[in-house]
Amino acid sequence: MKQLFPLLLLLVLSFNYTYSQRPGGDRERGPIIITGKVIDKDDNLPLEYATLVLQSVNNPDQITGGITDIDGNFKVETTPGKYNISIEYISYKTYKLPNQTLTASKDLGTIKLALDVAQLEAVEVVGEKTTVEVRLDKKIYNIGKDLTNSGATITDALNNVPSVDVDVEGAISLRGNENVRILINGKPSALAGFGSTDALTQLPADAIEKVEVITSPSARYDAEGTAGILNIVLKKEKTLGFNGSVNTTIGYPVNSGISVNANLRTDKFNLFNTTGYNYRDAPGNAFYDNTYSSGTYDRIIEDREYNRLRKSFNTNLGLEYFLTESSSLTGSVFYRTSDSEDETGNTNQRFINNALNSETFRTEDENEDDENYQFSLNYVNDLDEDGQKLTVDLQYSKGNEDKFSIIQENNTLPNDDLIVLENVYEKETDNEYLVQADYVLPMGDAQFEVGYRGTFEETGTDYRLDSLNQVTGQFDINEDLTNLFTYTENVNALYTQYGNKFGKFSFLLGLRLENTQLKGELTSLYDTSELEDQLGVDVEANFDKNYLGLFPTVNFIYELAENENISLGYNRRINRPRGRFVNPFPSRSSRTNIFQGNPDLNPAFSNAFDVGYLKRWDKITLTSSIYYQRETDSFERVQEETGQTTTDGIEIIRSIPINLSTNDRIGVEAGVLYSAAKWLRLNSSFNFFQFSTEGDFNGVDYGTTNTSWFARFSSKVSLPAKVDWQTNAFYRGPSSTAQTENGGIFSLNLAFSKDILNDNGTLSLNVSDLLNSRKRSSYTETEFFTSDSEFQWRRRQITMGFVYRFNQPKERNRKGRGDGNNEDNGEEIEG
């Protein structure tokens, strides 16, 4: 509907123009060219299909004109004369230039259109917003209408985005690579956690407007993340007046919550707030069948049950103040607190020569309190009408995490006695500062950009382990494992980029200079000589490293036709080790499994290439790409025997991250959106990739080559009585590493919704993992043990939701518009 209206109007204009060439029209000298660009006044995004109308003053029946392209540009040929000029776009105020004498070709410059609020609320929207938009350096997926997001978390929503996969433990990967950078509104955020995605499992999915999949990031983005960047853009209302929504959910297993989104906008300021509370239980289970070549037992079977209770509260309050018509200052504060109670029960059956010898039961009760807050200040100044722009961002984030665990293990067969009782105390503090300045200078059809970005992060981890001495009845501090580790990461970057368009050819070239400082300081009695023996190198627990690097980016798009293009991208990226990966003290998930960081771990670097193809038909949109990435000094977690056993004779296994030489990844992906009818939309995507690693460690060759794939399918059906039905299916194929083989995983989600209360309210029913099949099965084999396992992070979930909107229409006809979070020509301003 959005495209049909301007096309019909252009047909009428063309007819009138042909008619006007008859005697009686303004026929003067040779033709002249009228050019210009149309953008949204609020966020400077181009408006495609805006209509330019040229009406002759002397002969009002003589009308000509044209429409804007995907970049908002128009170019119209007419004859010299006197015209009334107007530019129109549905739901926007018409821009008028009456009585204009045109004697030569003229550039009208950049024209900014403002929303017409009265018209906006009266428009009946028949079509839906385009699901995918392709830019020079990204694909944008508008997921605001995904029914399965009701009652879901941001992590759940990401699992519905093409190219993205979220495994059963919540780990996020892009094209099969877990080294992906997560941003919120174009910047690192406390909403996404500090180096962890756990916080995303506690935030509602219905807060998302769109997700940007950035596989070939431009120079303005941080070079972190060898797989690329996922930028989560949250909703932000732009309608004048007071409006908002209330969203409530209830589900089984326990999943209840409420969130309120309120917005007060005037001509001078915009006050916005989002507040939510969530109470969620996530029961899961796991089964392990382990065999050992040494130690007292040759086989141990583990049967685990998980109960995870999450209680969280979050609020975001902000004020955008319009200093002038072209500049604004936005301040916001975000606060989140959560209380988690995890209970794990683990039944162990121990065998000697395939005969049951003993049975134990292990419990781990963990209580975790998290508190995060963030202060942000953003200044935007549109320096002139041509698009010259200055943006400055300041941000401070702080996080505190307190965790206390009680671990108890008892013999249950043949005797009932205590094996071990431990208390674990963990406290982690994070402080992060962000400073960024960005300047954009248009140069005709070209654009030049330069900027600076600095991030300064310090993470402190205080760990203490107390074990019960059964002789004295007192708890003794384990001096080897008790420690304080402080990790500092400072990154300073200068970047510049230049983009231009010549006819059907567009390009964006960028270069980023980054200096990274990584510092570690350990206070502990732990003797690192044992780790030196494991790694085969000298280990310095207190380190200070500096890395200076250039990170070029190259992006091209060539328009084969109006709705068809090919693209080419290249970028160099870095993967910096997080604090846990370089902390040398051993921490353990159990008495028999130890994870130990590696202070000798260096950043990994990658070079990535991407060739894409896009084709749009009337009802079908096809996106596809072929990609290749080569990563050097890539991280790999290897498992080794320690030569130690527990007091009851079980071999202790250690996991250590190392720089395992090279990792090559090549793949192909494709996505199809088919609008079969007004009542039926189909969406599918497929990703196939091969990855290979080369490298050895301590005499063991960890080189391997493997292929894997994942696919998803979604259908949305509009039923009578304003009922929508959506089905999402996902399958991830088998995969393997040098030590582990993983089986395939299938999951199926269903969702239904119905509009009520004059379309101001929506009822929804969502069933996540309908078949209860989202389980990870894997088999690990080394020289000293094997493990056959199955793990289910969360069981089938049923959720009912209700959304009520006040002074807020359900739909808006704003094709291709963003949310105003520091966007310029469709790109997030993020360094």
Side-chain angles (χ1 to χ4, degrees):
M1 182 66 181
K2 297 177 184 176
Q3 298 182 11
L4 183 60
F5 174 81
L7 291 176
L8 290 175
L9 180 58
L10 180 59
L11 182 63
V12 174
L13 295 175
S14 301
F15 174 80
N16 285 334
Y17 175 72
T18 303
Y19 177 80
S20 69
Q21 303 311 300
R22 299 175 180 177
D26 282 337
R27 293 177 300 162
E28 299 184 24
R29 297 178 299 276
I32 59 177
I33 305 296
I34 307 301
T35 58
K37 183 172 185 176
V38 182
I39 64 175
D40 182 286
K41 181 180 179 181
D42 290 330
D43 53 25
N44 292 332
L45 284 179
L47 295 177
E48 184 183 7
Y49 297 112
T51 306
L52 169 70
V53 178
L54 299 175
Q55 182 185 42
S56 172
V57 173
N58 298 328
N59 184 1
D61 291 334
Q62 178 183 323
I63 301 176
T64 187
I67 60 174
T68 57
D69 60 18
I70 191 172
D71 297 313
N73 297 314
F74 60 82
K75 184 177 181 180
V76 174
E77 180 178 301
T78 187
T79 56
K82 196 171 185 178
Y83 292 93
N84 291 321
I85 302 176
S86 62
I87 297 177
E88 303 171 357
Y89 191 71
I90 293 178
S91 78
Y92 284 74
K93 296 179 180 179
T94 300
Y95 178 88
K96 296 181 179 180
L97 290 172
N99 298 318
Q100 299 294 306
T101 301
L102 303 177
T103 58
S105 296
K106 185 175 182 178
D107 183 2
L108 298 181
T110 300
I111 299 168
K112 298 184 177 182
L113 297 187
L115 281 171
D116 188 336
V117 179
Q119 180 190 152
L120 182 65
E121 298 189 359
V123 171
E124 178 183 359
V125 180
V126 177
E128 288 190 4
K129 191 175 183 180
T130 303
T131 301
V132 59
E133 302 170 37
V134 177
R135 304 291 170 84
L136 271 169
D137 63 342
K138 73 185 76 173
K139 291 185 179 73
I140 303 173
Y141 295 96
N142 300 293
I143 64 174
K145 292 184 65 61
D146 193 330
L147 303 184
T148 59
N149 287 343
S150 178
T153 67
I154 288 182
T155 301
D156 297 324
L158 290 177
N159 209 31
N160 294 327
V161 176
S163 304
V164 180
D165 180 28
V166 183
D167 70 13
V168 293
E169 294 182 274
I172 300 170
S173 62
L174 181 58
R175 291 174 169 174
N177 189 342
E178 291 187 4
N179 184 227
V180 56
R181 178 74 157 165
I182 307 294
L183 303 176
I184 303 291
N185 291 337
K187 294 184 284 292
S189 173
L191 277 74
F194 294 88
S196 169
T197 59
D198 292 344
L200 297 180
T201 65
Q202 302 178 40
L203 297 173
D206 52 36
I208 303 177
E209 171 72 19
K210 60 188 176 183
V211 174
E212 298 180 340
V213 177
I214 310 173
T215 53
S216 185
S218 64
R220 66 170 54 151
Y221 290 94
D222 183 7
E224 171 71 28
T226 54
I229 295 171
L230 289 179
N231 182 33
I232 301 169
V233 181
L234 303 181
K235 295 176 181 177
K236 183 180 177 185
E237 186 56 48
K238 288 198 166 189
T239 305
L240 290 175
F242 180 69
N243 52 78
S245 62
V246 179
N247 190 351
T248 60
T249 58
I250 186 170
Y252 177 82
V254 177
N255 178 20
S256 57
I258 181 171
S259 62
V260 179
N261 177 34
N263 194 92
L264 176 62
R265 186 182 179 97
T266 70
D267 291 332
K268 199 61 182 176
F269 67 87
N270 183 28
L271 179 66
F272 52 92
N273 173 253
T274 300
T275 299
Y277 176 79
N278 185 264
Y279 186 94
R280 185 182 182 92
D281 190 13
N285 58 82
F287 178 83
Y288 298 84
D289 188 349
N290 305 320
T291 63
Y292 299 85
S293 60
S294 60
T296 303
Y297 306 102
D298 50 45
R299 183 184 183 191
I300 298 178
I301 295 177
E302 299 183 39
D303 193 355
R304 301 183 186 181
E305 290 289 334
Y306 302 95
N307 284 289
R308 310 178 190 88
L309 184 62
R310 303 284 192 267
K311 293 175 284 186
S312 64
F313 169 83
N314 63 85
T315 185
N316 184 45
L317 177 64
L319 175 66
E320 181 179 11
Y321 185 75
F322 306 108
L323 302 171
T324 65
E325 289 188 359
S326 59
S327 65
S328 67
L329 185 66
T330 303
S332 65
V333 57
F334 168 78
Y335 176 78
R336 181 177 69 87
T337 181
S338 66
D339 179 16
S340 302
E341 300 174 11
D342 293 356
E343 297 179 359
T344 303
N346 187 357
T347 301
N348 283 257
Q349 293 180 311
R350 309 177 181 192
F351 297 82
I352 299 179
N353 297 325
N354 292 324
L356 180 63
N357 175 266
S358 63
E359 187 174 279
T360 67
F361 183 70
R362 181 178 187 268
T363 61
E364 181 175 352
D365 296 332
E366 178 183 286
N367 290 278
E368 180 179 326
D369 294 324
D370 290 315
E371 187 177 49
N372 297 277
Y373 54 87
Q374 177 176 288
F375 301 95
S376 301
L377 194 64
N378 168 257
Y379 172 73
V380 178
N381 193 336
D382 296 320
L383 300 174
D384 58 29
E385 295 291 332
D386 296 327
Q388 188 178 190
K389 186 175 184 178
L390 173 66
T391 305
V392 179
D393 285 290
L394 302 174
Q395 183 173 286
Y396 169 67
S397 304
K398 183 175 180 62
N400 294 299
E401 177 185 290
D402 289 306
K403 186 186 300 183
F404 173 65
S405 303
I406 300 176
I407 301 173
Q408 181 174 339
E409 189 164 359
N410 292 77
N411 279 313
T412 57
L413 183 73
N415 302 312
D416 188 359
D417 54 49
L418 178 67
I419 298 176
V420 66
L421 178 60
E422 297 177 333
N423 293 332
V424 181
Y425 304 87
E426 296 179 78
K427 183 178 179 63
E428 182 174 304
T429 59
D430 293 275
N431 288 278
E432 182 174 321
Y433 299 86
L434 167 69
V435 180
Q436 180 168 346
D438 187 271
Y439 172 70
V440 177
L441 176 65
M443 297 183 295
D445 291 333
Q447 180 173 289
F448 172 77
E449 183 174 349
V450 64
Y452 162 80
R453 181 179 184 271
T455 56
F456 313 95
E457 181 179 359
E458 181 181 272
T459 302
T461 304
D462 193 348
Y463 183 92
R464 173 180 161 184
L465 175 66
D466 294 350
S467 300
L468 177 67
N469 186 324
Q470 297 190 49
V471 176
T472 65
Q474 303 294 319
F475 281 92
D476 296 333
I477 298 178
N478 187 321
E479 300 290 352
D480 284 341
L481 297 183
T482 299
N483 73 96
L484 174 63
F485 184 71
T486 303
Y487 183 61
T488 302
E489 178 183 290
N490 297 326
V491 181
N492 288 278
L494 294 172
Y495 62 91
T496 184
Q497 59 184 21
Y498 174 78
N500 206 342
K501 182 176 183 179
F502 299 98
K504 297 182 177 181
F505 178 73
S506 304
F507 67 87
L508 182 64
L509 308 177
L511 185 63
R512 187 180 185 91
L513 175 67
E514 279 195 355
N515 175 257
T516 300
Q517 180 189 38
L518 304 178
K519 296 172 60 178
E521 183 178 349
L522 177 67
T523 303
S524 175
L525 296 178
Y526 175 71
D527 185 2
T528 58
S529 60
E530 181 183 343
L531 183 58
E532 292 176 1
D533 294 338
Q534 292 286 327
L535 297 175
V537 297
D538 293 335
V539 173
E540 181 58 59
N542 299 300
F543 57 88
D544 188 347
K545 302 178 181 180
N546 269 275
Y547 305 89
L548 182 66
L550 285 173
F551 299 90
T553 61
V554 178
N555 290 292
F556 300 101
I557 285 185
Y558 181 75
E559 299 176 15
L560 300 173
E562 182 179 357
N563 295 315
E564 183 181 18
N565 66 59
I566 57 174
S567 61
L568 172 66
Y570 161 77
N571 65 91
R572 184 173 186 256
R573 311 285 294 166
I574 184 174
N575 181 11
R576 307 181 187 96
R578 304 301 301 176
R580 183 169 180 263
F581 269 39
V582 295
N583 189 343
F585 85 91
S587 63
R588 52 183 172 176
S589 57
S590 72
R591 294 189 304 124
T592 59
N593 290 279
I594 290 175
F595 177 84
Q596 190 159 17
N598 176 10
D600 196 52
L601 199 65
N602 294 315
F605 296 89
S606 73
N607 290 278
F609 300 85
D610 187 293
V611 179
Y613 173 75
L614 168 71
K615 173 70 173 179
R616 298 184 193 271
W617 292 270
D618 289 341
K619 295 185 177 182
I620 300 176
T621 299
L622 168 68
T623 60
S624 61
S625 64
I626 300 174
Y627 56 90
Y628 169 74
Q629 180 189 74
R630 182 174 180 83
E631 184 174 349
T632 57
D633 286 335
S634 58
F635 303 163
E636 183 78 18
R637 289 175 59 169
V638 299
Q639 292 181 308
E640 292 193 327
E641 56 184 344
T642 63
Q644 303 173 353
T645 59
T646 63
T647 56
D648 47 347
I650 302 176
E651 178 73 29
I652 297 177
I653 298 169
R654 184 196 316 268
S655 297
I656 302 175
I658 61 172
N659 292 113
L660 190 67
S661 190
T662 62
N663 185 326
D664 289 289
R665 184 181 300 267
I666 186 170
V668 58
E669 62 180 354
V672 176
L673 170 65
Y674 177 40
S675 299
K678 290 182 179 180
W679 55 271
L680 176 63
R681 289 170 64 88
L682 305 175
N683 195 348
S684 64
S685 63
F686 176 82
N687 193 308
F688 176 85
F689 54 92
Q690 179 188 72
F691 56 91
S692 60
T693 58
E694 296 179 0
D696 59 84
F697 178 67
N698 283 350
V700 178
D701 184 7
Y702 290 95
T704 184
T705 299
N706 185 245
T707 59
S708 187
W709 59 280
F710 59 87
R712 52 174 47 87
F713 173 80
S714 175
S715 66
K716 185 175 180 182
V717 180
S718 296
L719 302 173
K722 297 184 177 180
V723 175
D724 287 331
W725 165 29
Q726 183 170 317
T727 303
N728 287 357
F730 175 82
Y731 180 77
R732 184 175 66 197
S735 64
S736 66
T737 65
Q739 294 182 324
T740 302
E741 295 181 1
N742 299 303
I745 299 177
F746 175 77
S747 64
L748 181 68
N749 299 339
L750 293 181
F752 298 88
S753 75
K754 175 176 173 54
D755 293 335
I756 59 176
L757 303 177
N758 296 322
D759 292 345
N760 290 318
T762 301
L763 282 172
S764 63
L765 173 66
N766 184 5
V767 183
S768 176
D769 195 12
L770 176 70
L771 305 178
N772 205 37
S773 58
R774 190 169 171 78
K775 303 176 182 180
R776 182 190 65 198
S777 59
S778 62
Y779 179 76
T780 299
E781 182 175 4
T782 70
E783 293 182 353
F784 50 92
F785 89 107
T786 68
S787 179
D788 193 357
S789 66
E790 182 181 85
F791 179 78
Q792 184 178 30
W793 177 258
R794 190 177 66 194
R795 298 171 187 163
R796 175 174 48 231
Q797 181 86 50
I798 302 175
T799 306
M800 292 190 66
F802 173 65
V803 179
Y804 181 76
R805 296 169 289 273
F806 51 93
N807 300 328
Q808 186 183 82
K810 181 183 177 184
E811 302 293 345
R812 286 179 173 77
N813 196 4
R814 301 186 213 172
K815 177 172 177 61
R817 299 188 66 242
D819 76 330
N821 285 298
N822 299 340
E823 291 191 356
D824 184 85
N825 293 331
E827 296 184 50
E828 291 289 331
I829 302 294
E830 197 284 333

